[in-house]
């Protein structure tokens, strides 16, 4: 096994957030060499393959929190690596999403209305990969892996305590699209049923036969922080908008309330999802 960085030399460090990941990888390598460990032995101690360790050291893969904690301990780094964990976590997101990722982590309440695809917080790993593979222009495999890891990391919101209040309204049509194939959709619907049973999560379906729908302007998310301040996030064609003015956020929150009232109630929505699953 070669222990050099030739494979990563052509990667740009100018991408937003990538410079930090590259610098972190170099720090890990320096500490590993100081400890007298090759990549194989170090990988065994932290539970990763030597190839994965190489990718992390070369900045080609964003380290997950578990790796950072283990590496800090194995390499006797004294907290040098774990101190970067929060910054590394932000670096794994596309630049346009980083503000939203930070707000999600601080949210005491999150309300999302989605029209085309299942909300990222609710996606299965298979659904994520299918959606990301459809992007045009095409994303390379490495970028897909980074974004899958980032979305999975965001789903830690469901394990937080105190539990934030989470509400999702989704258009009926997105539950019928076999994006990635029938098996992917089946797994996604099964996952929605599981998530909908959580006490702090409410899932609602907006039926196609509704004559009134306050969501005609498109998808958006309302986030409320502990201090009561609200933010509204909207994304289209790889561009994002974060609204902070109180009059705009208040109107968006009111609009979401109307959307919820027009959608099926949570229990009826779960019954409808179960019906769709039974028909696949």
């Amino acid at each position: 096994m070669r222990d050099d960085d030739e494979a990563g030399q052509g990667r740009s460090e100018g991408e937003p957030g990538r410079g930090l990941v590259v610098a972190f990888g170099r720090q890990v390598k320096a500490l590993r060499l100081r400890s007298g460990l090759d990549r194989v032995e170090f990988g065994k101690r932290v539970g990763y393959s030597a190839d994965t360790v190489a990718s992390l050291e070369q900045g080609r893969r964003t380290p997950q929190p578990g790796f950072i904690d283990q590496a800090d301990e194995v390499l006797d780094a004294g907290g040098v690596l774990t101190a970067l964990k929060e910054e590394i976590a932000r670096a794994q997101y596309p630049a346009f999403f980083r503000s939203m990722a930070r707000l999600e982590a601080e949210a005491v309440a999150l309300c999302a209305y989605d029209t085309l695809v299942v909300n990222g917080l609710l996606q299965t790993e298979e659904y994520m990969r299918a959606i990301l593979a459809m992007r045009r222009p095409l994303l390379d495999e490495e970028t897909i892996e980074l974004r899958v890891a980032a979305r999975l990391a965001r789903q830690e919101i469901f394990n937080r305590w105190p539990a934030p209040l989470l509400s999702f309204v989704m258009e009926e049509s997105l539950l019928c699209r076999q994006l990635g194939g029938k098996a992917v959709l089946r797994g996604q619907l099964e996952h929605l049923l599981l998530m909908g049973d959580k006490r702090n999560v409410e899932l609602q379906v907006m039926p196609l036969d509704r004559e009134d729908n306050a969501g005609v302007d498109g998808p958006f998310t309302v986030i409320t922080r502990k201090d009561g301040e609200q933010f509204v996030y909207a994304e289209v064609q790889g561009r994002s908008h974060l609204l902070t003015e109180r009059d705009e956020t208040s109107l968006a929150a009111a609009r979401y309330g109307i959307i919820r009232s027009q959608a099926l109630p949570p229990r009826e929505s779960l019954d409808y999802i179960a019906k769709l699953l039974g028909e696949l």
Side-chain angles (χ1 to χ4, degrees):
M1 176 69 66
R2 296 179 62 186
D3 199 22
D4 57 52
D5 288 334
E6 288 181 10
Q9 287 176 357
R11 183 174 183 83
S12 169
E13 297 179 21
E15 301 171 42
R18 296 312 304 170
L20 176 61
V21 174
V22 171
F24 177 87
R26 290 173 178 166
Q27 181 77 340
V28 169
K29 181 180 178 181
L31 290 168
R32 175 178 62 78
L33 293 176
R34 185 194 68 175
S35 300
L37 299 173
D38 62 21
R39 282 175 177 158
V40 174
E41 180 59 29
F42 175 60
K44 288 179 180 178
R45 297 191 186 188
V46 295
Y48 286 77
S49 69
D51 286 342
T52 299
V53 170
S55 294
L56 290 162
E57 290 184 348
Q58 294 159 7
R60 295 186 289 111
R61 180 169 178 169
T62 303
Q64 294 304 294
F67 171 82
I68 297 174
D69 290 335
Q70 290 173 309
D72 196 276
E73 181 178 349
V74 169
L75 299 175
D76 193 23
V80 170
L81 298 180
T82 55
L84 295 172
K85 190 155 54 172
E86 186 174 334
E87 292 300 321
I88 290 289
R90 281 199 286 268
Q92 67 187 327
Y93 300 108
F96 66 83
F97 192 76
R98 287 185 190 139
S99 295
M100 177 57 173
R102 184 169 58 253
L103 288 172
E104 279 185 350
E106 301 171 354
V108 297
L110 183 148
C111 302
Y113 170 61
D114 294 286
T115 60
L116 294 175
V117 298
V118 174
N119 190 281
L121 292 175
L122 297 170
Q123 291 177 7
T124 64
E125 187 170 341
E126 294 75 17
Y127 189 92
M128 292 177 196
R129 293 183 190 281
I131 295 298
L132 291 169
M134 296 174 195
R135 292 287 176 85
R136 297 295 188 275
L138 294 172
L139 300 176
D140 58 62
E141 290 302 317
E142 188 176 318
T143 299
I144 290 176
E145 291 305 312
L146 287 172
R147 295 196 181 180
V148 167
R151 289 190 188 183
L152 291 174
R154 287 171 55 206
Q155 294 180 0
E156 282 298 309
I157 192 172
F158 295 106
N159 301 321
R160 277 172 38 198
W161 191 263
L165 301 178
L166 305 172
S167 171
F168 302 90
V169 178
M170 56 198 77
E171 287 292 325
E172 176 185 351
S173 56
L174 70 82
L175 297 172
C176 301
R177 294 194 180 98
Q178 295 186 19
L179 301 175
K182 186 177 292 188
V184 171
L185 178 58
R186 183 180 294 111
Q188 181 61 67
L189 295 180
E190 290 172 346
H191 184 64
L192 289 176
L193 291 176
L194 291 173
M195 301 307 292
D197 275 339
K198 289 181 175 290
R199 288 192 300 149
N200 65 317
V201 176
E202 289 193 343
L203 302 186
Q204 293 180 252
V205 176
M206 178 70 80
L208 287 171
D209 63 4
R210 288 293 193 260
E211 294 184 2
D212 289 312
N213 185 337
V216 291
D217 285 339
F220 64 99
T221 302
V222 180
I223 309 100
T224 304
R225 288 195 316 204
K226 187 176 182 179
D227 60 8
E229 191 168 359
Q230 289 186 316
F231 303 84
V232 178
Y233 177 83
E235 180 184 320
V236 61
Q237 297 296 322
R239 297 289 185 272
S240 64
H241 302 280
L242 188 63
L243 306 180
T244 59
E245 294 296 329
R246 182 162 297 183
D247 57 344
E248 294 180 308
T249 59
S250 295
L251 285 172
R255 186 161 62 251
Y256 186 82
I258 297 171
I259 291 170
R260 287 189 67 184
S261 71
Q262 294 169 332
L264 292 175
R267 178 45 54 189
E268 289 182 32
S269 295
L270 293 181
D271 289 343
Y272 178 73
I273 293 173
K275 174 177 175 290
L276 289 178
L277 182 59
E279 294 173 350
L280 278 177

